[in-house]
Amino acid sequence: QLHIVESGGGLAQAGGSLSLACSATGSISSITSMGWFRQAPGKQRELVATVSSSGTTYADSVRGRFTISADNDKLTVSLQMGGLEPEETAKYYCNVQGLLQWGGRVEEWGPGTPVTISS
């Protein structure tokens, strides 16, 4: 069972920067993927950025402004967000995928951390 802790959400000015962090703990043999999604009220949850052994993935809208990185030893993923826009105000969710010792797969979502960008 995975336990996910999110941090870094809060307020930022338009054009400013904010960093998010996600840490995973639990009985797991390895992490295969970690990333961030976001969901604004009344809208569909969308991918922001993910990192895995195959590389990184970014939403077209954030590519060049956001950077995702992983610390495999700490099982932590960080998202550096720059050039923030008010339209990016949303609740941001950490997603973790991994493998168990017996070969099974596990996937879990964090509770979500709010990010508010003021104009």
Side-chain angles (χ1 to χ4, degrees):
Q1 188 174 2
L2 283 172
H3 180 238
I4 299 175
V5 178
E6 302 163 335
S7 63
L11 302 174
Q13 298 292 321
S17 301
L18 200 64
S19 295
L20 303 179
C22 176
S23 297
T25 60
S27 180
I28 187 170
S29 62
S30 64
I31 298 293
T32 57
S33 177
M34 297 184 72
W36 288 93
F37 294 69
R38 65 189 178 191
Q39 186 170 22
K43 294 188 176 181
Q44 187 179 35
R45 186 174 299 186
E46 64 176 346
L47 179 147
V48 179
T50 63
V51 59
S52 67
S53 61
S54 61
T56 58
T57 301
Y58 292 95
D60 290 340
S61 61
V62 308
R63 186 176 293 108
R65 297 187 296 113
F66 291 9
T67 301
I68 191 167
S69 60
D71 186 332
N72 293 328
D73 293 334
K74 298 181 179 180
L75 300 180
T76 299
V77 64
S78 299
L79 181 68
Q80 288 76 49
M81 305 183 293
L84 289 164
E85 303 172 358
E87 294 75 18
E88 295 177 301
T89 294
K91 183 169 286 187
Y92 285 65
Y93 297 87
C94 179
N95 176 264
V96 180
Q97 301 174 32
L99 298 176
L100 303 175
Q101 290 183 346
W102 51 274
R105 298 180 180 180
V106 62
E107 180 178 13
E108 191 59 81
W109 291 88
T113 183
V115 172
T116 302
I117 312 302
S118 61
S119 59

